[in-house]
Amino acid sequence: MLRFAVTLFAVIMSSTCQKFGCLEGSTHKLKPSPEPNMRECTLYSKSSCCYADFTVQLARSPVIKISNSYWNRCGQLSKPCEDFMKKIECFYRCSPYAARWIHPSYTAAIRSVPLCQNFCDDWYEACKDDSTCVRNWLTDWERDRSGENHCNNECILYSEMYRNGTDMCQSMWGKSFKVSKSSCLCLQMSKKDTVAIKYLLSKSSKESSSSSSSSSSSSSSSSSSSSSSSSSEERACRKKLLKFEKLKGEEEEHTR
């Protein structure tokens, strides 16, 4: 039954990419397509916005650099921290639905992707004893003529640079990510996203429809309707997530 959930994941990603396409970064495809030989980022192998050869850089551990950006300016990242960094890199480079949150002014970037609070807390916990010299990895590096990144300041612990998981998620990559108030309508960079993305896309569609008709309805009525719809989607999402986790647990039991 877990195979059905995985198949559903591929179907959702396929329909999503048809609607949103890929970001317009230097390593992105024009359109997503299967990449069965990915060395990393296999979560997106059924429909990927990156080529398999890109993932070779991420398959090595420790990761030294991706393109012209070094990850080890303050020493090699610990394995747990590196794993979270890979998840973020895979989402940006390879996810066929990253473009759902495309930056309105810069089509190679994302903005306000909703991350789950527990994902951010776990990420912070994994990296808190590692070191960094920049708060914003997009803008704070000093770049040389070849575009390689260098520290402007001394290296300090992540736990000194960021107050907590929320601060890190909403600062490390600028405004690329935000911490969601929902415990289900958010991403964790895992197969659980198969559930969330369905409702996030549905929510986006309803918000657009509501916005189009707002001129003919009162703001209080529109707000009430939006709140009710959001609560309904949250309940439905949680129910689906519980079912998904149950199926996953049963599958793991059968493989032992």
Side-chain angles (χ1 to χ4, degrees):
M1 294 182 77
L2 183 60
R3 291 194 185 96
F4 171 75
V6 173
T7 301
L8 177 62
F9 179 48
V11 172
I12 291 173
M13 289 205 300
S14 178
S15 61
T16 302
C17 69
Q18 289 174 12
K19 183 176 180 181
F20 297 106
C22 296
L23 296 171
E24 297 181 13
S26 60
T27 61
H28 290 87
K29 298 177 183 177
L30 292 176
K31 296 181 180 180
S33 60
E35 289 290 339
N37 299 316
M38 296 175 85
R39 297 282 303 278
E40 196 70 54
C41 310
T42 54
L43 184 63
Y44 311 110
S45 62
K46 299 293 184 181
S47 183
S48 174
C49 279
C50 70
Y51 293 100
D53 58 359
F54 165 77
T55 65
V56 172
Q57 300 176 74
L58 287 168
R60 304 187 186 102
S61 185
V63 174
I64 304 300
K65 70 173 183 175
I66 300 298
S67 298
N68 60 354
S69 292
Y70 284 83
W71 285 17
N72 64 346
R73 290 308 191 194
C74 291
Q76 299 294 351
L77 296 175
S78 64
K79 187 62 167 60
C81 185
E82 181 183 83
D83 287 343
F84 273 92
M85 293 288 284
K86 286 182 178 182
K87 288 177 189 242
I88 296 298
E89 196 74 28
C90 285
F91 176 80
Y92 169 69
R93 305 274 188 171
C94 307
S95 171
Y97 48 76
R100 153 67 178 82
W101 294 277
I102 193 169
H103 195 288
S105 303
Y106 182 40
T107 54
I110 51 179
R111 188 172 75 174
S112 299
V113 178
L115 297 181
C116 297
Q117 181 72 64
N118 65 304
F119 176 85
C120 291
D121 291 341
D122 290 345
W123 184 7
Y124 181 79
E125 189 65 27
C127 294
K128 67 180 183 180
D129 294 326
D130 288 85
S131 297
T132 182
C133 59
V134 295
R135 179 171 174 80
N136 185 330
W137 279 49
L138 293 178
T139 62
D140 293 354
W141 294 106
E142 179 180 329
R143 297 280 175 177
D144 61 25
R145 290 184 177 180
S146 65
E148 292 185 351
N149 60 317
H150 300 274
C151 290
N152 275 321
N153 301 297
E154 65 179 33
C155 297
I156 61 174
L157 296 176
Y158 275 70
S159 58
E160 295 177 58
M161 184 67 75
Y162 308 105
R163 295 188 302 275
N164 48 41
T166 298
D167 184 30
M168 189 173 77
C169 273
Q170 297 184 162
S171 303
M172 188 173 184
W173 298 106
K175 295 184 178 180
S176 299
F177 301 101
K178 67 177 183 179
V179 178
S180 176
K181 294 180 180 179
S182 168
S183 61
C184 191
L185 300 174
C186 54
L187 303 183
Q188 302 184 56
M189 311 304 172
S190 71
K191 289 181 179 178
K192 291 182 180 180
D193 292 352
T194 59
V195 175
I197 197 66
K198 174 183 176 182
Y199 292 98
L200 285 168
L201 292 176
S202 173
K203 181 180 180 182
S204 176
S205 176
K206 289 178 181 178
E207 286 176 346
S208 296
S209 176
S210 175
S211 176
S212 298
S213 61
S214 62
S215 58
S216 60
S217 61
S218 66
S219 60
S220 59
S221 175
S222 176
S223 176
S224 176
S225 175
S226 176
S227 176
S228 176
S229 174
S230 179
S231 297
S232 176
E233 286 163 348
E234 176 75 16
R235 289 193 297 272
C237 181
R238 288 182 181 179
K239 185 176 180 180
K240 284 285 187 179
L241 184 58
L242 287 172
K243 184 177 181 180
F244 179 90
E245 291 175 336
K246 181 180 179 181
L247 291 174
K248 184 178 179 181
E250 291 175 351
E251 182 74 11
E252 290 175 347
E253 282 291 328
H254 291 155
T255 56
R256 288 178 182 174

